[in-house]
Amino acid sequence: MPSKTYTEEFKRDAVALYENSPEASIHTIATDLGINRATLANWVKKYGTETRATSPATEKSPSASVTEAEQIRQLQRENARLREERDILHKAAKYFPARDELVIRFRFVDDTQKNHSVKRLCEVLGLNRSSYYKWKTTSPGREKRLINDAILGARVTAVFTKERGCYGAKRITAELQDQVGHEPVNHKRVARVMKSLKLFGYTKKRKVTTTVSDKTKTVFPDLVGRKFTADKPNRLYVGDITYLPIADGSNMYLATVIDCYSPRLVGFAIADHMRTSLVQDALTMAKGQRGSLRSAIFYSDHGSVYTSRAFQNTCTELGIRQSMGAIGISADNALAESFNATMKREVLQDSKTFANHLRCRRDVFRRRTRYNTVRRHSWCKYLVPAVCEECGPAILKSAS
């Protein structure tokens, strides 16, 4: 392609146009005239006057990308961006004064998108636009879940209050499953709802030693091996003694006999002492409940009352075989230990002691009745002991 040639007059007119247009750059004038920017720059050097061509403040190199006017416009645009960013952050501060959570930022973008573009809002707040749009798309589903959780929270609170704060997530779930007209619910969801409502059960620790072994007495073999299960009622029992603290500083003592099949509390005795007669009375009550204990196994720790001659004679008279675990290992009598801890935690709750001996007897008796007929147990697939014994293995199999 042949090179273009320009007349001397054209060159001088082009230079004059540039010099008389202080707001325009060499690039702008060259584009308007359809010539190369470097060509116009050379003409300015050759034919230009000192008014613009030779002034240090206005003379620009042909390689310069922006002029002073362009820099001003760039600064104005940047200033506008900063004002917009300041305005966005000022409005956003009302949404998260305490902490900057992602959901709160999404909500701010959703509320403010009429005044600013979503792109700009996400840029200022450091959000991914795709994440915001996903949050907005799934919003109806979240609102529905929140409503369902609120309804479930009311049901959970009702059960929790009814059981005086003694039920955890799994027991509350089992209770809800039996309520007619409601959809099944998962215990993990119940646990999450309970956590959000700050519903927690009671936990207390044992402080008084109630097992005093006598190394001179007979020790019976372990016939259980920590397998506290039975295929029928009235086959395997566990027993233990626990203390019940009284407000005046004294203690009452509770001896229990629990059937490992249900686990049903079939015998108990309360006294202000730990003599052998205490455990004998509990075993006698169990015999009265069952009619006969013949051929059953009774498992206990190595406490002196259980190794005493008097208690051995009682077991012999009732046809019971005694069994004992290792010394000083609570896991060897886990079922009885669990009952004692749960009973005191749920009866005393925030109180450290019983008001008096009479109140202690009444509360424990009420607890015994509720334990057998109302309270759900993880030991038997969250069924009530009375229901478990009445319905037998079939209901246990279906519950599992």
Side-chain angles (χ1 to χ4, degrees):
M1 180 177 181
S3 59
K4 295 182 179 180
T5 58
Y6 302 94
T7 63
E8 192 76 3
E9 183 180 2
F10 180 87
K11 296 177 183 179
R12 292 183 180 277
D13 288 342
V15 172
L17 177 62
Y18 168 72
E19 291 182 338
N20 291 288
S21 304
E23 75 284 354
S25 64
I26 288 181
H27 175 76
T28 303
I29 299 298
T31 301
D32 292 342
L33 296 177
I35 60 177
N36 187 277
R37 183 180 60 186
T39 301
L40 178 58
N42 290 331
W43 292 350
V44 170
K45 285 183 179 180
K46 183 176 180 180
Y47 303 106
T49 62
E50 295 183 358
T51 56
R52 180 165 177 171
T54 59
S55 173
T58 58
E59 184 179 38
K60 302 294 180 181
S61 170
S63 61
S65 61
V66 292
T67 64
E68 182 177 353
E70 291 175 333
Q71 290 178 352
I72 293 175
R73 286 193 292 271
Q74 182 178 351
L75 290 174
Q76 289 174 341
R77 289 193 297 269
E78 183 64 24
N79 190 30
R81 285 174 56 85
L82 290 175
R83 285 199 304 268
E84 183 184 33
E85 181 175 332
R86 182 195 62 186
D87 185 48
I88 291 173
L89 293 176
H90 178 72
K91 294 176 181 178
K94 300 177 182 179
Y95 278 72
F96 33 82
R99 51 182 178 173
D100 185 6
E101 292 184 353
L102 186 62
V103 172
I104 296 177
R105 284 183 282 172
F106 285 154
R107 289 174 180 168
F108 172 74
V109 173
D110 198 50
D111 293 342
T112 321
Q113 60 178 319
K114 293 182 180 180
N115 301 324
H116 306 278
S117 67
V118 172
K119 178 180 179 181
R120 182 58 177 149
L121 289 167
C122 291
E123 179 184 345
V124 172
L125 298 177
L127 296 175
N128 190 310
R129 269 192 296 169
S130 62
S131 299
Y132 162 72
Y133 285 122
K134 182 178 180 180
W135 172 85
K136 187 175 179 62
T137 303
T138 57
S139 180
R142 286 196 309 276
E143 291 179 359
K144 183 178 179 180
R145 284 194 298 271
L146 287 175
I147 294 174
N148 291 338
D149 282 353
I151 296 173
L152 177 61
R155 295 173 60 201
V156 168
T157 303
V159 175
F160 188 82
T161 304
K162 175 186 173 185
E163 300 300 330
R164 300 179 64 223
C166 299
Y167 273 15
K170 292 186 177 180
R171 287 189 175 86
I172 289 181
T173 302
E175 187 73 22
L176 295 177
Q177 301 287 28
D178 285 350
Q179 294 180 359
V180 180
H182 294 283
E183 296 182 357
V185 61
N186 186 279
H187 74 273
K188 293 183 179 179
R189 184 184 172 201
V190 172
R192 175 175 59 80
V193 171
M194 290 182 66
K195 184 178 180 181
S196 67
L197 295 174
K198 297 182 180 181
L199 300 179
F200 305 101
Y202 295 93
T203 56
K204 291 186 180 293
K205 295 183 179 180
R206 182 174 179 167
K207 297 180 180 179
V208 176
T209 301
T210 54
T211 301
V212 181
S213 61
D214 187 346
K215 298 181 180 180
T216 63
K217 298 295 180 66
T218 304
V219 175
F220 295 89
D222 185 355
L223 304 176
V224 178
R226 297 188 183 181
K227 296 180 180 179
F228 301 104
T229 57
D231 56 354
K232 293 181 181 180
N234 202 22
R235 289 291 183 269
L236 175 61
Y237 293 94
V238 295
D240 195 16
I241 300 176
T242 189
Y243 80 101
L244 305 171
I246 309 301
D248 62 6
S250 62
N251 289 318
M252 294 286 282
Y253 297 92
L254 170 68
T256 55
V257 179
I258 303 173
D259 193 320
C260 290
Y261 175 77
S262 328
R264 187 169 190 164
L265 179 63
V266 295
F268 74 98
I270 306 174
D272 58 359
H273 60 79
M274 285 199 304
R275 294 190 291 270
T276 304
S277 59
L278 178 66
V279 293
Q280 287 176 307
D281 290 344
L283 203 57
T284 302
M285 180 180 179
K287 191 263 181 185
Q289 291 286 317
R290 294 304 194 189
S292 173
L293 300 177
R294 192 160 299 280
S295 299
I297 298 175
F298 179 77
Y299 184 90
S300 67
D301 57 28
H302 290 253
S304 59
V305 292
Y306 293 115
T307 58
S308 66
R309 177 61 61 182
F311 187 74
Q312 292 179 40
N313 291 338
T314 300
C315 291
T316 301
E317 292 173 3
L318 298 176
I320 295 173
R321 290 184 294 166
Q322 282 189 260
S323 175
M324 295 181 176
I327 297 176
I329 301 178
S330 60
D332 280 356
N333 201 6
L335 179 55
E337 294 280 356
S338 176
F339 170 84
N340 292 337
T342 302
M343 187 275 298
K344 286 193 286 188
R345 180 179 69 245
E346 296 184 356
V347 174
L348 286 174
Q349 294 195 357
D350 287 332
S351 301
K352 294 183 178 180
T353 61
F354 293 92
N356 50 57
H357 289 203
L358 179 60
R359 182 63 180 271
C360 176
R361 288 179 180 275
R362 289 178 178 175
D363 288 350
V364 172
F365 181 80
R366 185 184 300 109
R367 160 69 183 178
R368 178 258 183 185
T369 303
R370 187 174 183 83
Y371 178 90
N372 285 336
T373 60
V374 177
R375 190 183 190 279
R376 297 176 182 272
H377 298 269
S378 58
W379 204 273
C380 54
K381 308 298 182 183
Y382 294 99
L383 298 175
V384 175
V387 174
C388 178
E389 288 196 359
E390 181 180 351
C391 299
I395 194 170
L396 282 176
K397 184 177 180 180
S398 63
S400 61

